[in-house]
Amino acid sequence: MILDIHTHMGVVPGNFTMPPEMQLAAMERYGIDYALISDIRCGESQTRGDGQTDLQVRINTEAAAFVRRHRSRLGLLLWCRPNAERGYTEEFEQLFLREKDIVKGLKIHPDISGLPFDDEKVAPYLEMAGRYGLPVLVHTQETAFSSCRRVAKVADRFPHVKIIMGHLSLSGDKPYPFELLRAYENLYGDTAWVRFDDVERACALGLENKLLFGTDSPIAGADTYADPVYYAPYFARAADGGAALERILYRNAVQLFGIEITHKNTEGETA
C-alpha cells in the first residue's frame, strides 16, 4: 500500500497547471492508494485577494467539494493564508468543522505566504491544529521564511501539534534536519524532493518512524512519480523493502493522520 501525504491541485496561469484530475490519473498509473491534496491556488502569491472575498474559505471549499467526490482516494489539507486579507478567521475554522470527515490536516507554505513560519500571524492556525489534533504540513527550504531550524522553534512552542517538515529543507547535503527529527518528538519529515539515498541514510539512523512518503505530485507533470532519483526507487522496492519502507510508504501516515483505508495489504490487514 502507498499513501502520498504531499500532493497538489490547482491551475495558476503562468505558474502551475495541476488540475485535480491529473493527480487522480497519476495515482491510478503508479498505484498510489490514497493521497492528501492541497490547493495551491490558495497561496497568497498565487491568487491575489480583492479585500472583499475570503479566498481562504472559497478556494478550500472548492477543493473540499472535489475531494468529497473522491473521498476513497483523497483527503484534504486545508491551505492556510496567514498573510492575506483576513488571515485566520472563525469562518475558516467553521469550514473545517463542516468538512472534518475529509480534512486530515493543514498546509502552510511560508515562502508562498512571504511570512516566516514563526510569525504571530501563523500562531492561530497552530492553535486550531492543537484543538482538533490536526497535523500541519509545512513547506521547508533553506530560506529565512521556512528553514527547518525555524520550524523547530515552532515545534518547541507547540509541543502538542504534529508538524511535518515537507522536503526536509531541500538540503540533502545538510544532515541537521535528521538531527531535529531525533530531537523533537512532534517533528516529522516527508520525502518530497528528498533523494532516496538520503532517506535510506535516515533509516540507518533509526528515523523510519519519523518519515512519510510525499512527492509534490503533479508539480513536475503527470509523471512526477517516475522521477528516477526521488520516487521511482520506492516503486521498485515496495514489494520487498522491509518494515522500514512499509512504515514510510503508509503505516506512519495511517497513524499520524488517522487515515482509514479499505484496501488490504499483503498480510490481509485493513489499514
Side-chain angles (χ1 to χ4, degrees), residues 242-259:
L245 193 58
E246 188 178 77
R247 290 198 66 86
I248 293 168
L249 288 176
Y250 82 94
R251 288 196 179 276
N252 291 339
V254 166
Q255 182 177 355
L256 188 63
F257 288 95
I259 297 168

Side-chain angles (χ1 to χ4, degrees), residues 5 7 12-13 39 41 49 54 57 59-60 63 92 122 134 147 149 204-205 207 214-215 220 223 225 251 262 268:
I5 68 131
T7 74
V12 181
D39 197 325
R41 294 179 301 152
D54 191 338
V57 170
I59 294 174
N60 279 305
F92 179 73
V122 179
L134 294 172
S147 74
R149 289 189 178 91
L205 296 172
L207 294 171
T215 66
D223 292 303
Y225 288 118
R251 288 196 179 276
T262 56

